[in-house]
Amino acid sequence: MALAALPFLLAACGDKPANQSQSADNQEKAAVEEKSETSKAKKADADKNVADDDPDALLIGQIDAIRSVWASKPLKGVAAGKTIDIERFAYAFCKEYPNFDANKAIYDYIVSPATYKEKNSYFRVESQKKYGYLSCRAELQVSWDTYCCYWKRNNGHCLVAFWMEQGHESEPHATDGLLVFYDYNPATDTMTPETSLAKKVEEAMSPFDEFSVNLPAQGKDIELTGYKIDIENDSAEGTDYLLRWNGYDFKMEKVKE
């Protein structure tokens, strides 16, 4: 099915003077670069004992690190005086979590297209502001992707979703993924983790070995598929669900076969 996010824009809070905005962006870029490099250095020290024949271990850890902290970290200054749109939401998230490489590619795409082209040859970012949707896909044999979209809530806030997934070269049917939601309050310019929605999905998918998410590039509903994996026969059986948008959040439904 072709699904998609509801397009809209919120009113701008007023643009900064060009030189001030550019200086602030440069400072933020430097801070993110430093954060990313520092985190990578610390992680490299912690991963010295990881076996050389386990290429998936380090990549899986990137998602696990985000999973362990995102619920306790609201993201402030999202619009920062600019018109709010999907790129502002993606910028705020990827600035906070640049260590997953698809997120870093999105950050570079938004902040510096030249840096994006120079450092992210394996990633393809597509931004559809009209539909409130942005994707970053790795042009590799396995998935290494980040998707995001947003909806306008009936209380004047926004609901923002991010789905990150990392495939495993050593296990073709195994994928590590993380789905998170935020409530964006334009009055405070803050994205607050919407843990109840994430928990709803986790509980529904708990009977399965893993699950995949299809955020809508058009439309309003989210597609979910839970997988039972048969390692012995190298196969996977999927069960489909829909998260149907109701104007504020979602109602989960199993798709009839």
Side-chain angles (χ1 to χ4, degrees):
M1 283 180 286
L3 304 174
L6 181 66
F8 73 98
L9 294 176
L10 299 182
C13 299
D15 293 333
K16 298 178 182 178
N19 58 348
Q20 179 183 348
S21 178
Q22 183 177 6
S23 175
D25 287 344
N26 289 338
Q27 291 176 3
E28 289 182 351
K29 180 182 178 183
V32 170
E33 294 284 356
E34 181 179 358
K35 178 178 180 179
S36 179
E37 293 304 318
T38 300
S39 298
K40 286 179 179 179
K42 290 181 179 179
K43 184 168 177 53
D45 290 338
D47 292 333
K48 286 181 179 179
N49 294 326
V50 175
D52 291 338
D53 60 351
D54 186 7
D56 296 325
L58 298 181
L59 300 179
I60 296 170
Q62 293 176 350
I63 287 182
D64 283 342
I66 299 172
R67 179 183 286 113
S68 67
V69 300
W70 81 271
S72 62
K73 286 191 173 184
L75 308 179
K76 300 180 180 180
V78 178
K82 300 179 181 179
T83 301
I84 196 69
D85 58 24
I86 188 60
E87 292 190 4
R88 294 308 301 174
F89 292 133
Y91 170 85
F93 182 78
C94 295
K95 176 186 173 185
E96 182 65 33
Y97 302 110
N99 292 330
F100 186 58
D101 287 10
N103 293 352
K104 184 60 168 60
I106 292 172
Y107 177 86
D108 289 340
Y109 173 88
I110 294 172
V111 174
S112 174
T115 301
Y116 161 71
K117 291 180 181 179
E118 178 184 353
K119 295 184 177 181
N120 299 285
S121 59
Y122 293 119
F123 293 95
R124 181 178 179 181
V125 178
E126 293 184 354
S127 176
Q128 301 181 42
K129 289 185 179 182
K130 178 180 178 180
Y131 297 110
Y133 178 85
L134 187 147
S135 65
C136 178
R137 291 181 285 251
E139 296 179 332
L140 302 169
Q141 290 183 334
V142 294
S143 59
W144 193 357
D145 311 327
T146 295
Y147 303 84
C148 52
C149 64
Y150 74 105
W151 300 255
K152 185 177 182 180
R153 288 183 139 169
N154 53 22
N155 65 350
H157 290 204
C158 298
L159 180 68
V160 190
F162 295 89
W163 165 247
M164 291 165 287
E165 62 180 354
Q166 169 60 57
H168 303 182
E169 288 188 35
S170 59
E171 300 177 59
H173 293 290
T175 300
D176 187 38
L178 177 62
L179 176 66
V180 299
F181 296 94
Y182 289 88
D183 174 83
Y184 173 71
N185 184 346
T188 61
D189 198 22
T190 300
M191 291 166 60
T192 302
E194 188 88 350
T195 55
S196 60
L197 272 177
K199 185 177 181 180
K200 178 191 292 187
V201 174
E202 288 179 1
E203 290 178 348
M205 294 294 103
S206 61
F208 300 98
D209 297 313
E210 63 181 53
F211 67 95
S212 65
V213 176
N214 183 18
L215 295 181
Q218 291 187 10
K220 303 175 184 179
D221 303 331
I222 298 175
E223 294 177 321
L224 297 171
T225 302
Y227 293 99
K228 289 284 190 179
I229 299 175
D230 185 344
I231 298 177
E232 183 177 346
N233 294 310
D234 191 26
S235 63
E237 180 179 351
T239 302
D240 297 326
Y241 295 81
L242 278 181
L243 289 175
R244 289 198 179 276
W245 178 246
N246 62 17
Y248 184 80
D249 56 15
F250 300 93
K251 178 181 179 181
M252 179 169 285
E253 299 178 1
K254 184 177 180 180
V255 178
K256 296 180 181 180
E257 297 181 357

